[in-house]
Amino acid sequence: MDPVQPLLSWGGVARTRQLLTAGVRERELTRAVTAGRIGRPRPGIYALPGTDPLLVRCAATNSRLTCVSAATHHGLWILRRPEKIHVLRADGTLSAERAVVHRKSWLPGEPEGWVASKADVLLHALQCLPELEALVMVESASQQGFSMDFLRERLPGRRNAPARRILDLVDVGAESLLETLARTHLRRAGLRVEPQVDVRGVGSMDLLVEDCVDVETDGREHEAPKRRLKDYRRDNTAQALGFAVARFGYADIVHRPEEMVRQVREMVEARLRLGGLPRLDEL
């Protein structure tokens, strides 16, 4: 058997025993390594070129990526990359100096894979990460259709109360982690916020605050000239309908949220003083 095929199905990396059990012969492994089609990054470990080094570490330690370290493998948003690798290993024998070790599994991952199931990844994040970092991961899973009730049912008791409070912050419709963060900061400041409000002629507003301020959260895609031109036209239409418009980027929302909230609050107060607010039921 060509060793490339089983490696592809296992995320690009496997232990020698796995490959031999799958029917790959040792001479086929040697030929593939000599030809440069696969590598041997560590004794007893074979990997395809370009395989995630974290998966190689998991194969070497017989563990699985989980929590924030596994987020991108499941298409989940992350606020920042972790300083340490987060792994699932039932016996917890890895050094705490090199890894954050999670021991409990609720739903097994792929039998021969090196990444924990999405359920385990999310539950570990809820019990491990700071509130907002866990929130963006969980909310992105919600947008994928993952059940929040499934997570809540597996987090009983007083010890898991902080994790359940994070689930209470999840809302529908966010298209990016910036929307999730901005919405959370604005609501905590006492402002009424509706996400993804569709307005005729404008399109979908990221966040409509107090029915009068359209808050747009701009990622890198908004830097393209054609996208900026589209945004200008859209903002002009929103303002013509009576909405104030505020745009914030990554640095504003992630690093200066208090300033963002202050500016939005001032815009709301100024718009309310003018009176004659837009009637959403007429738009």
Coordinates of all heavy atoms in Angstrom, one line a residue, residues 209-281:
V209 N -27.6 49.9 16.7 CA -27.6 50.3 18.1 C -28.7 51.3 18.4 O -28.8 52.4 17.7 CB -26.2 50.9 18.5 CG1 -26.2 51.2 20.0 CG2 -25.1 49.9 18.2
E210 N -29.6 51.0 19.4 CA -30.7 51.9 19.8 C -31.5 52.4 18.6 O -32.0 53.5 18.6 CB -30.1 53.1 20.5 CG -29.4 52.8 21.8 CD -30.4 52.3 22.9 OE1 -31.6 52.5 22.8 OE2 -29.9 51.6 23.9
D211 N -31.6 51.6 17.6 CA -32.4 51.8 16.4 C -32.0 53.0 15.6 O -32.7 53.5 14.7 CB -33.9 52.0 16.8 CG -34.6 50.8 17.3 OD1 -34.1 49.7 17.0 OD2 -35.5 50.9 18.1
C212 N -30.8 53.5 15.8 CA -30.4 54.8 15.1 C -28.9 54.8 14.7 O -28.6 55.6 13.8 CB -30.7 56.0 15.9 SG -29.8 56.1 17.5
V213 N -28.1 54.0 15.2 CA -26.7 54.0 14.8 C -26.3 52.6 14.2 O -26.4 51.6 14.8 CB -25.7 54.3 16.0 CG1 -24.3 54.3 15.5 CG2 -26.1 55.7 16.5
D214 N -25.8 52.7 13.0 CA -25.4 51.5 12.2 C -23.9 51.3 12.5 O -23.1 52.1 12.1 CB -25.6 51.7 10.7 CG -25.0 50.6 9.9 OD1 -24.6 49.6 10.4 OD2 -24.9 50.9 8.7
V215 N -23.5 50.3 13.3 CA -22.1 50.0 13.6 C -21.6 48.9 12.7 O -22.2 47.8 12.7 CB -22.0 49.6 15.1 CG1 -20.5 49.2 15.4 CG2 -22.3 50.8 16.0
E216 N -20.6 49.2 11.9 CA -20.0 48.3 11.0 C -18.6 47.9 11.5 O -17.8 48.7 11.9 CB -19.9 48.9 9.6 CG -21.2 49.2 9.0 CD -22.1 48.0 8.7 OE1 -21.5 47.0 8.2 OE2 -23.3 48.0 9.1
T217 N -18.4 46.6 11.5 CA -17.1 46.0 12.0 C -16.3 45.6 10.7 O -16.7 44.7 10.0 CB -17.4 44.8 12.9 OG1 -18.1 43.8 12.2 CG2 -18.1 45.3 14.1
D218 N -15.2 46.3 10.5 CA -14.5 46.1 9.2 C -13.2 45.3 9.4 O -12.3 45.7 10.1 CB -14.1 47.5 8.7 CG -15.3 48.2 8.2 OD1 -16.4 47.7 8.1 OD2 -15.1 49.4 7.8
G219 N -13.2 44.1 8.8 CA -12.0 43.3 8.7 C -11.2 43.7 7.6 O -11.4 44.7 6.9
R220 N -10.2 42.9 7.3 CA -9.2 43.2 6.2 C -9.8 43.3 4.8 O -9.4 44.0 4.0 CB -8.1 42.2 6.2 CG -7.1 42.3 7.4 CD -6.0 41.3 7.3 NE -5.1 41.4 8.4 CZ -4.0 40.6 8.6 NH1 -3.8 39.6 7.7 NH2 -3.3 40.7 9.6
E221 N -10.9 42.6 4.6 CA -11.5 42.6 3.3 C -12.1 43.9 2.9 O -12.3 44.3 1.7 CB -12.7 41.5 3.2 CG -13.9 41.8 4.1 CD -13.8 41.4 5.5 OE1 -12.7 41.0 5.9 OE2 -14.8 41.5 6.3
H222 N -12.3 44.8 3.9 CA -12.8 46.1 3.7 C -11.7 47.1 3.2 O -12.0 48.2 2.8 CB -13.5 46.7 4.9 CG -14.8 46.0 5.2 ND1 -16.0 46.5 4.8 CD2 -15.1 44.9 5.9 CE1 -17.0 45.7 5.3 NE2 -16.4 44.7 5.9
E223 N -10.5 46.6 3.2 CA -9.4 47.5 2.8 C -9.2 47.6 1.3 O -8.6 48.5 0.7 CB -8.1 47.0 3.4 CG -8.0 47.1 4.9 CD -6.8 46.4 5.5 OE1 -5.9 46.0 4.7 OE2 -6.7 46.4 6.7
A224 N -9.8 46.6 0.5 CA -9.7 46.6 -0.9 C -10.5 47.8 -1.5 O -11.5 48.2 -1.0 CB -10.3 45.3 -1.5
P225 N -9.9 48.5 -2.5 CA -10.5 49.7 -3.1 C -11.9 49.5 -3.5 O -12.8 50.4 -3.2 CB -9.6 50.0 -4.3 CG -8.2 49.4 -3.9 CD -8.6 48.2 -3.1
K226 N -12.2 48.4 -4.2 CA -13.6 48.2 -4.7 C -14.6 48.0 -3.5 O -15.7 48.5 -3.5 CB -13.7 47.0 -5.6 CG -13.1 47.2 -6.9 CD -13.3 45.9 -7.8 CE -12.7 46.2 -9.2 NZ -12.9 45.0 -10.1
R227 N -14.1 47.4 -2.4 CA -14.9 47.2 -1.2 C -15.2 48.5 -0.5 O -16.3 48.8 0.0 CB -14.3 46.2 -0.3 CG -15.2 45.9 0.9 CD -16.6 45.4 0.6 NE -17.4 45.2 1.7 CZ -17.6 44.0 2.3 NH1 -16.9 43.0 1.9 NH2 -18.4 43.9 3.4
R228 N -14.1 49.4 -0.5 CA -14.3 50.7 0.2 C -15.3 51.5 -0.5 O -16.1 52.2 0.1 CB -12.9 51.4 0.2 CG -12.0 50.8 1.3 CD -10.9 51.9 1.7 NE -10.1 52.3 0.6 CZ -9.0 51.8 0.2 NH1 -8.5 50.7 0.8 NH2 -8.3 52.2 -0.9
L229 N -15.2 51.5 -1.9 CA -16.2 52.3 -2.7 C -17.6 51.8 -2.4 O -18.5 52.6 -2.2 CB -15.9 52.1 -4.2 CG -16.8 52.9 -5.1 CD1 -16.8 54.4 -4.8 CD2 -16.4 52.6 -6.6
K230 N -17.8 50.5 -2.3 CA -19.1 49.9 -2.0 C -19.6 50.4 -0.6 O -20.7 50.7 -0.4 CB -19.1 48.4 -2.1 CG -20.4 47.7 -1.8 CD -20.2 46.2 -1.9 CE -21.6 45.5 -1.7 NZ -21.4 44.0 -1.8
D231 N -18.6 50.4 0.4 CA -19.0 50.8 1.7 C -19.4 52.3 1.7 O -20.3 52.6 2.5 CB -17.8 50.6 2.6 CG -17.5 49.1 2.9 OD1 -18.4 48.3 2.7 OD2 -16.4 48.8 3.4
Y232 N -18.7 53.1 1.0 CA -19.0 54.5 0.9 C -20.5 54.7 0.4 O -21.2 55.5 1.0 CB -18.1 55.3 0.0 CG -16.6 55.4 0.5 CD1 -15.6 55.5 -0.4 CD2 -16.3 55.3 1.8 CE1 -14.3 55.6 0.0 CE2 -15.0 55.3 2.3 CZ -14.0 55.5 1.3 OH -12.7 55.5 1.7
R233 N -20.8 54.0 -0.6 CA -22.1 54.2 -1.2 C -23.2 53.7 -0.2 O -24.3 54.3 -0.1 CB -22.2 53.4 -2.5 CG -21.4 54.0 -3.6 CD -21.3 53.1 -4.8 NE -20.6 53.7 -5.9 CZ -20.2 53.0 -7.0 NH1 -20.4 51.7 -7.1 NH2 -19.5 53.7 -8.0
R234 N -22.9 52.6 0.4 CA -23.8 52.0 1.4 C -24.0 52.9 2.5 O -25.2 53.2 3.0 CB -23.3 50.7 1.9 CG -24.1 50.0 2.9 CD -23.2 48.9 3.6 NE -24.0 48.4 4.7 CZ -24.2 49.0 5.9 NH1 -23.8 50.2 6.0 NH2 -24.9 48.4 6.8
D235 N -23.0 53.5 3.1 CA -23.0 54.4 4.2 C -23.8 55.7 3.9 O -24.6 56.2 4.7 CB -21.7 54.8 4.7 CG -20.9 53.6 5.3 OD1 -21.5 52.6 5.5 OD2 -19.7 53.8 5.6
N236 N -23.6 56.2 2.6 CA -24.4 57.4 2.2 C -25.9 57.1 2.2 O -26.7 57.9 2.6 CB -23.9 57.8 0.8 CG -22.5 58.4 0.8 OD1 -22.0 58.8 1.9 ND2 -21.9 58.4 -0.3
T237 N -26.3 55.9 1.7 CA -27.7 55.5 1.7 C -28.2 55.4 3.1 O -29.3 55.9 3.4 CB -27.8 54.2 1.0 OG1 -27.3 54.3 -0.4 CG2 -29.3 53.8 0.9
A238 N -27.5 54.8 4.0 CA -27.9 54.7 5.4 C -28.1 56.0 6.0 O -29.1 56.3 6.7 CB -26.9 53.8 6.2
Q239 N -27.2 56.9 5.8 CA -27.3 58.3 6.4 C -28.5 59.0 5.8 O -29.2 59.8 6.5 CB -26.0 59.0 6.2 CG -24.9 58.5 7.0 CD -23.5 59.1 6.6 OE1 -23.5 60.1 6.0 NE2 -22.4 58.4 7.0
A240 N -28.7 58.8 4.5 CA -29.9 59.5 3.9 C -31.2 59.0 4.4 O -32.2 59.8 4.5 CB -29.9 59.2 2.3
L241 N -31.2 57.8 5.0 CA -32.4 57.2 5.6 C -32.6 57.7 7.0 O -33.6 57.3 7.7 CB -32.4 55.7 5.5 CG -32.6 55.1 4.1 CD1 -32.3 53.6 4.1 CD2 -33.9 55.4 3.5
G242 N -31.6 58.4 7.6 CA -31.6 58.9 8.9 C -30.8 58.2 10.0 O -30.8 58.5 11.2
F243 N -30.0 57.2 9.5 CA -29.1 56.5 10.5 C -27.7 57.2 10.5 O -27.2 57.7 9.5 CB -28.8 55.0 10.0 CG -30.1 54.2 9.9 CD1 -30.8 54.0 8.7 CD2 -30.6 53.6 11.1 CE1 -31.9 53.2 8.7 CE2 -31.7 52.8 11.0 CZ -32.4 52.6 9.8
A244 N -27.2 57.2 11.7 CA -25.8 57.5 11.9 C -25.0 56.3 11.6 O -25.4 55.2 11.9 CB -25.5 58.1 13.3
V245 N -23.8 56.4 11.1 CA -22.9 55.2 10.7 C -21.6 55.4 11.4 O -20.9 56.4 11.3 CB -22.8 55.1 9.2 CG1 -21.9 53.9 8.9 CG2 -24.1 55.0 8.5
A246 N -21.1 54.3 12.0 CA -19.8 54.2 12.6 C -19.1 53.0 12.1 O -19.7 51.9 12.1 CB -19.9 54.2 14.1
R247 N -17.9 53.1 11.7 CA -17.1 51.9 11.3 C -15.9 51.8 12.2 O -15.2 52.7 12.6 CB -16.6 52.1 9.9 CG -17.7 51.9 8.9 CD -17.2 51.9 7.4 NE -18.3 51.6 6.5 CZ -18.7 50.4 6.2 NH1 -18.1 49.3 6.7 NH2 -19.8 50.2 5.4
F248 N -15.6 50.5 12.6 CA -14.5 50.2 13.5 C -13.7 49.0 13.0 O -14.3 48.1 12.5 CB -15.0 49.9 14.9 CG -15.7 51.1 15.6 CD1 -17.1 51.1 15.6 CD2 -15.0 52.1 16.2 CE1 -17.8 52.2 16.2 CE2 -15.6 53.2 16.8 CZ -17.0 53.2 16.8
G249 N -12.4 49.1 13.1 CA -11.6 48.0 12.7 C -11.1 47.1 13.8 O -11.5 47.3 14.9
Y250 N -10.2 46.2 13.5 CA -9.8 45.2 14.4 C -9.1 45.8 15.7 O -9.5 45.5 16.8 CB -8.7 44.3 13.8 CG -8.2 43.2 14.6 CD1 -8.8 41.9 14.7 CD2 -7.1 43.4 15.5 CE1 -8.3 40.9 15.5 CE2 -6.6 42.4 16.3 CZ -7.2 41.1 16.3 OH -6.7 40.1 17.1
A251 N -8.2 46.8 15.4 CA -7.6 47.4 16.6 C -8.5 48.1 17.5 O -8.4 48.1 18.7 CB -6.5 48.4 16.1
D252 N -9.6 48.8 16.9 CA -10.6 49.5 17.7 C -11.3 48.5 18.6 O -11.5 48.8 19.8 CB -11.6 50.2 16.8 CG -11.0 51.2 15.9 OD1 -10.2 52.1 16.4 OD2 -11.2 51.2 14.7
I253 N -11.8 47.4 18.0 CA -12.6 46.5 18.8 C -11.9 45.6 19.7 O -12.4 45.3 20.8 CB -13.4 45.7 17.7 CG1 -14.3 46.6 16.9 CG2 -14.3 44.6 18.4 CD1 -14.9 45.9 15.7
V254 N -10.7 45.2 19.3 CA -10.0 44.2 20.2 C -9.1 44.9 21.2 O -9.1 44.5 22.4 CB -9.1 43.3 19.3 CG1 -8.2 42.4 20.1 CG2 -9.9 42.5 18.4
H255 N -8.5 46.0 20.8 CA -7.5 46.7 21.7 C -8.0 47.9 22.4 O -7.5 48.3 23.4 CB -6.2 47.0 20.9 CG -5.5 45.8 20.3 ND1 -5.1 44.8 21.1 CD2 -5.2 45.6 19.0 CE1 -4.6 43.9 20.3 NE2 -4.6 44.3 19.1
R256 N -9.1 48.6 21.8 CA -9.6 49.8 22.4 C -11.1 49.8 22.5 O -11.8 50.7 22.0 CB -9.2 51.0 21.6 CG -7.7 51.2 21.5 CD -7.3 52.5 20.8 NE -7.6 52.4 19.4 CZ -6.8 51.9 18.5 NH1 -5.6 51.5 18.8 NH2 -7.1 51.9 17.2
P257 N -11.7 48.7 23.1 CA -13.1 48.6 23.1 C -13.8 49.7 23.9 O -14.9 50.1 23.6 CB -13.4 47.2 23.8 CG -12.1 47.0 24.6 CD -11.0 47.6 23.8
E258 N -13.2 50.2 25.0 CA -13.8 51.3 25.8 C -14.0 52.5 24.9 O -15.0 53.2 25.0 CB -12.9 51.6 27.0 CG -12.8 50.4 28.0 CD -11.6 49.5 27.6 OE1 -11.0 49.8 26.6 OE2 -11.4 48.5 28.4
E259 N -13.0 52.9 24.1 CA -13.1 54.0 23.2 C -14.2 53.8 22.2 O -14.9 54.7 21.8 CB -11.7 54.3 22.6 CG -11.7 55.4 21.6 CD -12.0 56.8 22.2 OE1 -12.0 56.9 23.5 OE2 -12.3 57.7 21.5
M260 N -14.3 52.6 21.7 CA -15.3 52.3 20.7 C -16.7 52.5 21.3 O -17.6 53.2 20.7 CB -15.2 50.8 20.2 CG -16.3 50.4 19.3 SD -16.5 48.6 19.2 CE -17.1 48.2 20.8
V261 N -16.9 52.0 22.5 CA -18.2 52.1 23.2 C -18.5 53.6 23.4 O -19.6 54.1 23.3 CB -18.2 51.3 24.5 CG1 -19.4 51.7 25.4 CG2 -18.1 49.8 24.2
R262 N -17.5 54.4 23.9 CA -17.7 55.8 24.1 C -18.1 56.5 22.9 O -19.1 57.3 22.9 CB -16.4 56.4 24.7 CG -16.5 57.9 25.1 CD -15.2 58.5 25.3 NE -14.4 58.6 24.1 CZ -14.6 59.6 23.2 NH1 -15.6 60.5 23.3 NH2 -13.8 59.6 22.1
Q263 N -17.5 56.3 21.8 CA -17.9 56.9 20.5 C -19.3 56.6 20.1 O -20.0 57.4 19.7 CB -16.9 56.6 19.4 CG -15.5 57.2 19.6 CD -14.5 56.9 18.5 OE1 -14.9 56.7 17.4 NE2 -13.2 56.7 18.8
V264 N -19.6 55.3 20.2 CA -21.0 54.9 19.8 C -22.0 55.5 20.7 O -23.1 56.0 20.2 CB -21.1 53.3 19.8 CG1 -22.6 52.9 19.6 CG2 -20.2 52.7 18.8
R265 N -21.7 55.6 22.0 CA -22.7 56.2 22.9 C -22.9 57.6 22.6 O -24.1 58.1 22.6 CB -22.2 56.0 24.4 CG -23.2 56.5 25.4 CD -22.7 56.5 26.8 NE -22.3 55.1 27.2 CZ -23.2 54.2 27.6 NH1 -24.5 54.5 27.7 NH2 -22.8 53.0 28.0
E266 N -21.8 58.4 22.3 CA -22.0 59.8 21.9 C -22.8 59.9 20.6 O -23.6 60.9 20.5 CB -20.6 60.4 21.8 CG -19.9 60.6 23.1 CD -18.5 61.2 23.0 OE1 -18.0 61.4 21.8 OE2 -17.9 61.5 24.0
M267 N -22.6 59.0 19.7 CA -23.3 59.1 18.4 C -24.8 58.8 18.7 O -25.7 59.5 18.1 CB -22.8 58.1 17.4 CG -21.4 58.4 16.9 SD -20.7 57.3 15.7 CE -21.7 57.8 14.3
V268 N -25.1 57.9 19.5 CA -26.5 57.6 19.9 C -27.1 58.8 20.5 O -28.3 59.2 20.1 CB -26.6 56.4 20.8 CG1 -28.0 56.3 21.4 CG2 -26.2 55.1 20.1
E269 N -26.5 59.4 21.5 CA -27.0 60.6 22.2 C -27.3 61.7 21.2 O -28.3 62.4 21.3 CB -26.1 61.0 23.3 CG -26.0 59.9 24.4 CD -25.0 60.2 25.5 OE1 -24.2 61.2 25.2 OE2 -24.9 59.5 26.5
A270 N -26.3 61.9 20.3 CA -26.4 63.0 19.4 C -27.6 62.8 18.4 O -28.4 63.7 18.1 CB -25.1 63.2 18.6
R271 N -27.7 61.5 18.0 CA -28.8 61.2 17.0 C -30.2 61.3 17.7 O -31.1 61.8 17.1 CB -28.6 59.8 16.5 CG -29.6 59.4 15.4 CD -29.5 60.3 14.2 NE -30.6 60.1 13.2 CZ -31.8 60.7 13.4 NH1 -32.0 61.5 14.4 NH2 -32.7 60.5 12.5
L272 N -30.3 60.9 18.9 CA -31.5 60.9 19.7 C -32.0 62.4 19.9 O -33.2 62.7 19.9 CB -31.4 60.2 21.0 CG -31.3 58.7 20.9 CD1 -31.1 58.1 22.3 CD2 -32.5 58.0 20.2
R273 N -31.0 63.3 20.1 CA -31.3 64.7 20.3 C -32.0 65.3 19.0 O -32.8 66.2 19.1 CB -30.1 65.5 20.7 CG -29.6 65.3 22.1 CD -28.7 66.3 22.6 NE -27.4 66.3 21.8 CZ -26.4 65.6 22.1 NH1 -26.4 64.9 23.2 NH2 -25.3 65.6 21.4
L274 N -31.6 64.8 17.9 CA -32.2 65.3 16.6 C -33.6 64.9 16.4 O -34.4 65.6 15.8 CB -31.4 64.8 15.4 CG -29.9 65.3 15.3 CD1 -29.2 64.6 14.2 CD2 -29.9 66.8 15.1
G275 N -34.0 63.7 17.0 CA -35.4 63.3 16.9 C -35.7 62.7 15.5 O -34.8 62.7 14.6
G276 N -36.9 62.3 15.3 CA -37.3 61.8 13.9 C -36.5 60.6 13.5 O -36.0 60.6 12.4
L277 N -36.5 59.6 14.4 CA -35.7 58.4 14.1 C -36.3 57.6 12.9 O -37.5 57.7 12.7 CB -35.6 57.5 15.3 CG -34.9 58.1 16.6 CD1 -34.8 57.1 17.7 CD2 -33.5 58.6 16.2
P278 N -35.4 56.9 12.2 CA -35.9 56.1 11.1 C -36.9 55.0 11.6 O -36.8 54.5 12.7 CB -34.7 55.4 10.6 CG -33.5 56.1 11.2 CD -34.0 56.7 12.4
R279 N -38.0 54.8 10.8 CA -39.0 53.8 11.1 C -38.6 52.5 10.4 O -38.8 52.4 9.2 CB -40.4 54.2 10.7 CG -40.9 55.4 11.6 CD -41.4 54.9 12.9 NE -42.4 53.9 12.8 CZ -43.7 54.1 12.7 NH1 -44.1 55.4 12.6 NH2 -44.6 53.2 12.5
L280 N -38.1 51.5 11.1 CA -37.6 50.3 10.5 C -38.7 49.5 9.8 O -38.5 48.9 8.8 CB -36.9 49.4 11.5 CG -35.6 49.8 12.1 CD1 -35.1 48.9 13.2 CD2 -34.6 49.9 10.9
D281 N -40.0 49.7 10.3 CA -41.1 48.9 9.7 C -41.5 49.6 8.4 O -42.3 49.0 7.7 CB -42.3 48.9 10.7 CG -42.7 50.3 11.1 OD1 -41.9 51.3 10.9 OD2 -43.8 50.4 11.7

